[in-house]
Amino acid sequence: PTVPFLESQGPLCCACSAAMVIAEAVAGAAAGAHALWDYNRDNFLYDRKMRQETELKVLEWRSEQSELWREDIRDIIGLTEKKMGSYLIVSTLQLGMCLGLFTEGRLEPGTPPWLIHFYSLTLSAAFMYLLMSIWMAVHASIVAQCSAVRLLTQFVRLPIPSWQVLQNMRTFASSYEHLETDHMMRVPFTRNPAGAKTSDPVDGLAAPDEASHSENVERGEHIDPWKLEDTAEDLYELEHIPASLRR
């Protein structure tokens, strides 16, 4: 009695087996798609995190460079102030000597009048020159301090980033969903979105990947595989400029 029953249930079992195979295939494809999604999403978030750390490092370099410039200004202005302070001390001492000669450095009785006039004229000239020296030293010191304040407050300010700059460094994880499908479902080791690997340059010629990178930069295209980053070759801190030309 069981044989006719199994024979009658044969098409149903075949259909169930086919359905199970299809379900397993769909489940396998879904698992593979999920693995590819997670793999590429992790790569995307890692690249964006590295980009953010790079931009923060550039800001740190800019701050350090500005701080070096500010220290240079303080050193140069401080040199002028020290020199003016030395001149001020010497001129003040010599001015005191002139006053002492005026009050107590009298000539002996019977000195010829022309020598007295000459003596008084030279002391008066020395007194005026030393007084002008003191006044100019004080004025130069004040001007140097004012110039330092003006340079530090108007020209060499610390590069504090604006809110817009900080927002541009930020990447939302949901922005991964707006990428192209071939980026989100890229199979590892099948292709490189940033460009295929090339051999080393020969005879001083640039490698093809470097040449394509230069062409992309000239055309204003993005340099990252996600098409979110622009070139950073216009950054002053990253330019290869000789030290003699950095003024």
Side-chain angles (χ1 to χ4, degrees):
T2 58
V3 174
F5 176 78
L6 292 176
E7 292 179 354
S8 62
Q9 298 295 327
L12 181 60
C13 291
C14 292
C16 291
S17 299
M20 291 178 62
V21 171
I22 294 174
E24 291 178 357
V26 172
H34 184 268
L36 289 178
W37 174 279
D38 290 342
Y39 170 78
N40 290 290
R41 186 174 183 273
D42 292 340
N43 284 342
F44 172 78
L45 295 178
Y46 175 79
D47 290 344
R48 297 310 298 170
K49 180 180 178 182
M50 293 297 295
R51 177 67 178 187
Q52 185 182 39
E53 292 180 356
T54 301
E55 292 182 354
L56 292 175
K57 195 65 178 179
V58 170
L59 290 179
E60 182 180 349
W61 289 340
R62 285 178 173 174
S63 298
E64 293 181 358
Q65 187 180 44
S66 299
E67 189 61 34
L68 289 176
W69 289 341
R70 295 171 68 87
E71 290 181 1
D72 293 340
I73 292 175
R74 294 189 183 98
D75 293 339
I76 295 174
I77 300 301
L79 177 62
T80 302
E81 293 178 356
K82 290 180 180 179
K83 290 176 66 176
M84 293 301 105
S86 301
Y87 295 157
L88 183 62
I89 294 174
V90 175
S91 298
T92 303
L93 292 176
Q94 292 181 350
L95 185 64
M97 296 176 185
C98 288
L99 292 176
L101 290 175
F102 265 125
T103 56
E104 299 181 1
R106 298 178 182 180
L107 298 178
E108 295 293 333
T111 303
W114 63 269
L115 184 58
I116 296 176
H117 291 298
F118 184 75
Y119 176 75
S120 301
L121 181 62
T122 53
L123 283 180
S124 301
F127 179 83
M128 294 303 300
Y129 276 116
L130 292 173
L131 185 62
M132 290 177 61
S133 175
I134 293 174
W135 179 79
M136 289 184 177
V138 173
H139 180 71
S141 180
I142 295 174
V143 170
Q145 293 178 3
C146 294
S147 300
V149 173
R150 182 170 178 267
L151 290 173
L152 294 176
T153 56
Q154 297 183 11
F155 295 96
V156 194
R157 301 289 292 177
L158 290 178
I160 306 300
S162 62
W163 176 254
Q164 184 64 33
V165 173
L166 296 177
Q167 282 294 102
N168 292 336
M169 297 180 186
R170 181 181 181 183
T171 300
F172 293 96
S174 60
S175 60
Y176 174 75
E177 303 171 3
H178 301 284
L179 299 177
E180 298 178 0
T181 306
D182 56 347
H183 291 295
M184 293 188 291
M185 304 302 294
R186 183 180 69 86
V187 179
F189 305 106
T190 55
R191 65 181 180 85
N192 186 4
K197 293 183 179 180
T198 56
S199 58
D200 294 334
V202 181
D203 297 333
L205 298 178
D209 57 342
E210 295 179 359
S212 60
H213 172 71
S214 301
E215 294 176 358
N216 293 337
V217 170
E218 292 178 358
R219 292 196 299 266
E221 296 180 358
H222 300 286
I223 59 174
D224 67 319
W226 314 106
K227 297 182 179 181
L228 296 176
E229 301 176 7
D230 296 328
T231 177
E233 293 186 357
D234 57 343
L235 288 178
Y236 177 79
E237 293 80 6
L238 302 181
E239 293 181 355
H240 298 284
I241 303 176
S244 58
L245 301 179
R246 293 182 179 179
R247 295 290 187 268

